[in-house]
Amino acid sequence: MDWDKLRIFHAVADAGSLTHAGDALHLSQSAVSRQIRALEESLNTTLFHRHARGLILTEQGELLFDATASMVKRIDAATARIRDSEEEVFGELKVTTTHGFGVLWLAPRLTKLYEKYPDLKIDLMLEERVLDLPMREADVAIRMKEPSQADLIRKRLMSIRMRMYATPEYLALRGVPETLDDLAKHRLICQNPASSQVAAGKLMVQELLTYDIKTALTVNNYFGVLQAVVANLGIGVLPDYIIEDFPNVVRVLPEIESNEVPVFLAYPEELRHSKRVSAFRDFVQDEIFSHRRQLRAMGAD
């Protein structure tokens, strides 16, 4: 089967439009259309349904798209390895982690990585679901549990716990709770137990909600919880890594915390010698060490 036609088919299926695929491929719409017709004739099948808003894959087209998507990922993986320089760090690195860790901890620290490697391009994918690293949905993952996928290199970075935080302004107005029963006088801000989150955080929230809490605000990510806490709306359940970067919040009920949550960095075995991956791994490890030192200095361990 002609790979060039498959490449064009994949671009059209991905874009859902002959025009957009042509723009991406630097080909005219008519040239793209001819290649698709030729591929359909060679396979003796229809790959797309045409309609006013674009193109929809037929059942046969879906089967072929699954195959070409796998081929493209493998080619991208090979290309990445070939392009990895022995001396330089450049090109795209796809990094996936959770919304909370990506927004509240990782993204604010990337300035240092770009200062050291200005030609590096990070594609930061914030997902609660676990992406398939061997299939190159991402190059590197930072997850809140040990990855179960085979053929991955993994390293435990640190452990985190969910704890309770509020602003001094809020506590001055509403009082400092001394027991869990005192939460009845406060507004609890947390992730909805039904939303995607680490199991330890969900269990802690479920336990807190068994108390006589008369008012609460639930949000589907930790960034929203933090913003509500900073706005003096109540006492929030948040991961302990936020305390270094947000010293304007203080811990409440310090004896209450979740079980330990391990944080792992993982990447495919085939990227073991990737300079981009090594640079990112070393950067994260250095930042973790700095984070720990800062927490010890703050007495927040």
Side-chain angles (χ1 to χ4, degrees):
M1 198 177 294
D2 187 334
W3 167 245
D4 200 48
K5 289 186 176 63
L6 290 177
R7 179 177 66 88
I8 292 172
F9 160 79
H10 182 81
V12 173
D14 193 45
S17 160
L18 294 173
T19 302
H20 292 158
D23 291 342
L25 297 168
H26 304 293
L27 295 172
S28 67
Q29 180 179 337
S30 59
V32 172
S33 180
R34 283 196 300 272
Q35 293 291 338
I36 295 299
R37 281 201 304 272
L39 180 60
E40 289 179 324
E41 290 171 2
S42 69
L43 294 173
N44 193 30
T45 191
T46 299
L47 298 173
F48 294 98
H49 292 304
R50 278 78 172 172
H51 66 93
R53 290 177 295 173
L55 302 175
I56 298 177
L57 286 166
T58 63
E59 182 178 354
Q60 294 77 13
E62 290 279 5
L63 289 172
L64 187 59
F65 184 61
D66 287 344
T68 58
S70 179
M71 294 165 67
V72 166
K73 287 177 181 177
R74 292 299 181 189
I75 289 172
D76 286 346
T79 302
R81 293 185 63 182
I82 291 168
R83 287 180 176 174
D84 269 333
S85 167
E86 292 298 320
E87 302 295 336
E88 299 179 62
V89 176
F90 63 93
E92 183 180 68
L93 184 70
K94 295 182 287 185
V95 177
T96 181
T97 189
T98 60
H99 286 87
F101 193 82
V103 171
L104 298 174
W105 193 89
L106 180 59
R109 289 168 168 78
L110 288 178
T111 299
K112 296 178 183 177
L113 183 64
Y114 280 117
E115 287 174 349
K116 191 171 183 180
Y117 304 110
D119 296 325
L120 191 61
K121 178 185 176 185
I122 300 291
D123 181 5
L124 186 56
M125 297 177 287
L126 305 182
E127 296 269 2
E128 301 307 318
R129 72 183 181 95
V130 176
L131 300 188
D132 191 332
L133 297 185
M135 285 302 293
R136 295 304 302 277
E137 287 189 320
D139 300 315
V140 182
I142 299 177
R143 308 304 309 187
M144 304 301 120
K145 64 179 180 179
E146 184 169 5
S148 59
Q149 292 169 294
D151 301 322
L152 294 181
I153 297 172
R154 64 206 71 197
K155 180 175 179 59
R156 184 163 178 162
L157 296 173
M158 63 177 179
S159 296
I160 63 175
R161 293 179 186 271
M162 305 302 150
R163 293 171 171 169
M164 303 173 71
Y165 297 95
T167 61
E169 292 82 2
Y170 171 84
L171 296 173
L173 181 65
R174 301 292 296 272
V176 178
E178 297 182 358
T179 69
L180 285 171
D181 290 329
D182 290 341
L183 290 178
K185 306 169 187 174
H186 295 270
R187 180 177 297 109
L188 183 69
I189 308 169
C190 59
Q191 284 216 56
N192 188 310
S195 65
S196 296
Q197 58 189 296
V198 295
K202 179 180 291 188
L203 288 173
M204 180 177 176
V205 167
Q206 288 173 335
E207 173 66 20
L208 291 173
L209 290 175
T210 64
Y211 287 82
D212 186 25
I213 296 174
K214 296 180 174 58
T215 176
L217 170 65
T218 57
V219 190
N220 66 348
N221 60 66
Y222 288 125
F223 180 71
V225 173
L226 176 65
Q227 293 304 303
V229 169
V230 171
N232 305 319
L233 284 179
I235 298 173
V237 179
L238 288 162
D240 58 7
Y241 57 71
I242 65 107
I243 194 65
E244 178 188 350
D245 296 327
F246 296 91
N248 57 325
V249 299
V250 296
R251 192 172 175 189
V252 176
L253 294 172
E255 71 280 6
I256 305 301
E257 61 184 11
S258 74
N259 292 331
E260 190 175 79
V261 180
V263 180
F264 281 85
L265 182 144
Y267 51 93
E269 175 70 34
E270 66 188 47
L271 294 179
R272 174 185 292 274
H273 301 295
S274 165
K275 296 299 178 183
R276 294 192 302 278
V277 170
S278 296
F280 182 79
R281 179 200 61 210
D282 294 346
F283 153 74
V284 170
Q285 289 182 157
D286 288 346
E287 288 301 307
I288 293 290
F289 292 147
S290 175
H291 174 70
R292 287 173 177 164
R293 286 195 301 270
Q294 183 66 22
L295 290 183
R296 283 195 295 270
M298 297 170 64
D301 276 347

